[in-house]
Amino acid sequence: MRGKIQEKSHCYKVFIKTYGCQMNVYDSQRIVDSLLEEGYSPVQRIGEADLVLLNTCHIREKASEKFYSDLGRLRILRESKNSFILGVTGCTAQAEGEEILHRAPVVDFVIGPQTYHRLPRILKELKKGGKVVDIDYAIENKFDYLPLPNKERVNSRGVSAFLTVQEGCDKFCTFCVVPYTRGTEVSRSVEEIIREAEKLISFGVREITLLGQNVNAWHGKGANGCDWSLGKLLFRLAELRGLKRLRYTTSHPCNMDDLLIAAHRDLPMLMPYLHLPIQAGSDRILKLMNRRHSVRDYLLLIERIRRARSDLAFSGDFIVGFPGETDLDFKETLKLVEDVFYASAYSFKYSSRVGTPGSSMIDQVDEDKKDERLQCLQMRLNEQKRQFLESKRGLLTDVLIEKVGRHKGQMIGRSPWLAPVVVETEAAIGTVINVLIQKASTNSFFGAEEIL
Ligand code: SAH
Ligand code: SF4
Ligand code: F3S
């Protein structure tokens, strides 16, 4: 295998599978881009690859199980086709490190989310034989070592792009592995972010979604040394010519400051859709989760944001069956859902994660109970989503055209509230058009272009 890599020059193929959140999607893009200079081009089929990367997620047990079952399949593939290097990156890599090599000797190297810029060097090391594990919290800033986005790669991903501005988390919610897998909160500098945004825009990107595990905890310094928060950064990014839309995710309710709310009021290009997870609707459970705010704080915050921008829709995350959650606590979650009215939301059964305080709490909730609560919550959230989409029928709205649709003349665009819109138009990809929403299905809209 190694011989094959050494013989060929500048024609290697890399296949990457991404698990987990948008930050992992962004990391996978950066990893692939960093390998272009090493002569690797990305492929969609694993069978063609010289290098296979699994960019893992550790958030719930299911995510890790999926990764290990994929490793089992890869072991069989490698036995029949002994010709690829196999690497594990991402959050499970960070959490389990060397343990992965013990459980799955088929793996050649393991690198964490803070050290993937060292991948080219690691690939060279591997040629000498042996295995590599690199899960340091690197002192150097990986972004200083990664190449800026490449035109062809950016174009292949469409007109909407992710841009990580903040990484890690200092909040330590008692259920969550992120502070351990991604380390402490780090913000990228204003200059670095602007440079990357300008590059993306110059390649045709029209919508940028700023990413962070706690994106609204982002902070930086302006040119004159004054402190900037995410709101200020959004105002600055809104000045970039050619950019049409801005979004950011995921926010913590404790970090929604006045300027960020003002950005929603004053920047039409900041889309009126906000992912603002609360996790549970009972103050007792929020306290046990170490969420650092009450249900009342959250509802007041929602009210303030809605006052700033009345058409803003909310999405959220919920965990059911956190240790100690009673039927009464769960009822309070259902009540909160009614009070907020979510356009969309993700809900999960609590998954006990080794090393988090939640895993050693007494009163773990039965799986059956979790199933029952999840089903009940999801039914309500699905109904709200349906009502939300339906409420947009008859509305004239702006749509960013993203790709060609399935039928002739049809294009698929993005509504301000993320749901896709199918529309007949001759408008080019990357343009924003006015569309009258005529119909809503489970996840998307159908509309007609309005030429004003
Ligand atoms: N930083 C974000 C969330 C990151 S994790 C925030 O603070 O909201 C994404 C979601 O996964 C969380 O919002 C939570 O709903 C869910 N999650 C995290 N740990 C979990 C666990 N142990 N079990 C079940 N769901 C979990
Ligand atoms: Fe996890 Fe809480 Fe940090 Fe979000 S804020 S990443 S849920 S610890
Ligand atoms: Fe998963 Fe890591 Fe994201 S644990 S959710 S990939 S930050």
Side-chain angles (χ1 to χ4, degrees):
M1 169 191 62
R2 310 269 147 72
K4 187 177 167 193
I5 292 274
Q6 267 167 334
E7 279 158 32
K8 293 201 283 179
S9 71
H10 300 291
C11 56
Y12 314 134
K13 306 261 191 302
V14 53
F15 173 90
I16 188 160
K17 174 164 179 176
T18 309
Y19 308 76
C21 65
Q22 289 145 319
M23 301 205 52
N24 252 17
V25 172
Y26 175 84
D27 287 343
S28 290
Q29 295 174 351
R30 296 299 300 249
I31 289 171
V32 167
D33 291 357
S34 76
L35 289 171
L36 294 175
E37 290 184 359
E38 304 300 308
Y40 283 86
S41 55
V43 286
Q44 303 299 323
R45 292 191 25 217
I46 210 163
E48 296 171 11
D50 304 294
L51 171 63
V52 173
L53 296 171
L54 301 181
N55 193 15
T56 56
C57 171
H58 203 57
I59 202 83
R60 285 169 289 274
E61 200 179 344
K62 253 197 192 156
S64 301
E65 275 170 3
K66 177 88 186 65
F67 152 65
Y68 277 110
S69 84
D70 285 349
L71 274 184
R73 272 199 293 276
L74 280 168
R75 183 176 55 82
I76 296 165
L77 183 68
R78 185 137 104 180
E79 275 163 12
S80 63
K81 175 185 181 284
N82 186 25
S83 59
F84 58 84
I85 289 188
L86 178 57
V88 178
T89 61
C91 291
T92 307
Q94 187 66 43
E96 296 189 348
E98 194 130 4
E99 175 66 22
I100 295 175
L101 297 182
H102 294 139
R103 270 184 78 173
V106 64
V107 173
D108 294 303
F109 67 92
V110 176
I111 46 178
Q114 303 313 332
T115 41
Y116 64 70
H117 58 293
R118 297 178 184 163
L119 185 53
R121 200 185 73 206
I122 288 169
L123 289 171
K124 286 187 188 102
E125 255 172 63
L126 281 170
K127 287 181 189 163
K128 297 182 205 142
K131 310 245 174 192
V132 176
V133 176
D134 188 349
I135 53 168
D136 287 357
Y137 288 116
I139 355 159
E140 74 268 22
N141 171 8
K142 67 172 176 256
F143 295 107
D144 290 344
Y145 294 83
L146 293 167
L148 273 168
N150 157 295
K151 183 171 194 311
E152 192 194 331
R153 297 302 307 145
V154 171
N155 287 343
S156 75
R157 294 172 191 140
V159 293
S160 181
F162 291 141
L163 201 175
T164 292
V165 298
Q166 180 278 334
E167 290 198 285
C169 181
D170 295 342
K171 297 275 191 303
F172 290 92
C173 300
T174 52
F175 51 82
C176 186
V177 292
V178 170
Y180 314 96
T181 62
R182 292 274 176 167
T184 50
E185 280 178 11
V186 179
S187 295
R188 293 180 69 191
S189 74
V190 175
E191 301 77 47
E192 222 177 293
I193 296 165
I194 301 292
R195 199 179 325 131
E196 190 168 327
E198 282 177 337
K199 202 78 188 162
L200 291 169
I201 298 163
S202 75
F203 295 152
V205 165
R206 296 293 167 255
E207 176 180 270
I208 292 180
T209 303
L210 306 181
L211 298 181
Q213 267 91 19
N214 257 303
V215 71
N216 55 347
W218 177 90
H219 55 92
K221 293 258 180 241
N224 53 2
C226 59
D227 291 331
W228 279 26
S229 64
L230 188 71
K232 182 77 182 155
L233 180 67
L234 287 164
F235 276 100
R236 172 71 184 93
L237 287 166
E239 291 170 1
L240 298 180
R241 279 185 62 148
L243 187 62
K244 294 183 174 154
R245 287 179 162 190
L246 278 166
R247 302 178 187 273
Y248 61 94
T249 197
T250 291
S251 299
H252 193 287
C254 292
N255 295 111
M256 290 298 301
D257 67 12
D258 290 345
L259 195 59
L260 187 50
I261 297 177
H264 280 287
R265 184 192 61 208
D266 299 340
L267 295 175
M269 72 190 294
L270 181 57
M271 290 296 100
Y273 187 83
L274 181 58
H275 188 59
L276 195 64
I278 182 168
Q279 315 295 352
S282 141
D283 281 337
R284 202 177 64 81
I285 296 298
L286 287 180
K287 203 163 173 58
L288 287 171
M289 286 178 162
N290 190 31
R291 287 294 290 184
R292 301 156 191 253
H293 63 80
S294 65
V295 171
R296 189 181 138 78
D297 296 335
Y298 182 78
L299 290 174
L300 287 174
L301 176 62
I302 295 245
E303 212 178 286
R304 273 172 62 214
I305 302 168
R306 281 198 169 128
R307 266 205 304 274
R309 181 136 187 196
S310 59
D311 64 341
L312 192 140
F314 289 93
S315 73
D317 290 341
F318 291 93
I319 295 178
V320 298
F322 184 80
E325 186 187 70
T326 62
D327 285 341
L328 206 68
D329 292 315
F330 177 63
K331 269 201 184 127
E332 291 193 71
T333 298
L334 292 177
K335 160 118 186 18
L336 169 100
V337 167
E338 296 313 314
D339 288 344
V340 174
F341 186 80
Y342 287 93
S344 172
Y346 298 95
S347 42
F348 313 98
K349 285 191 284 178
Y350 170 69
S351 168
S352 172
R353 307 306 283 135
V354 176
T356 61
S359 69
S360 51
M361 285 181 184
I362 47 164
D363 288 347
Q364 299 282 329
V365 174
D366 287 356
E367 280 307 300
D368 287 354
K369 200 68 178 171
K370 288 186 200 168
D371 281 329
E372 197 185 295
R373 288 180 188 162
L374 187 69
Q375 213 186 355
C376 175
L377 178 62
Q378 287 187 340
M379 231 164 65
R380 202 46 218 132
L381 290 168
N382 287 340
E383 175 53 22
Q384 288 196 345
K385 180 174 181 177
R386 194 195 64 74
Q387 279 179 27
F388 171 76
L389 294 175
E390 189 59 30
S391 73
K392 301 295 174 196
R393 202 144 59 91
L395 195 88
L396 192 62
T397 188
D398 53 301
V399 169
L400 171 65
I401 300 298
E402 288 188 340
K403 56 185 180 194
V404 177
R406 221 182 293 156
H407 302 291
K408 200 167 180 295
Q410 228 177 38
M411 299 295 275
I412 315 245
R414 183 99 22 209
S415 68
W417 315 283
L418 273 186
V421 185
V422 181
V423 58
E424 271 188 26
T425 177
E426 287 175 3
I429 290 173
T431 50
V432 174
I433 61 169
N434 287 305
V435 172
L436 179 72
I437 303 292
Q438 294 173 314
K439 204 174 114 189
S441 70
T442 330
N443 293 306
S444 50
F445 295 116
F446 294 83
E449 183 176 14
E450 292 266 317
I451 316 237
L452 298 178

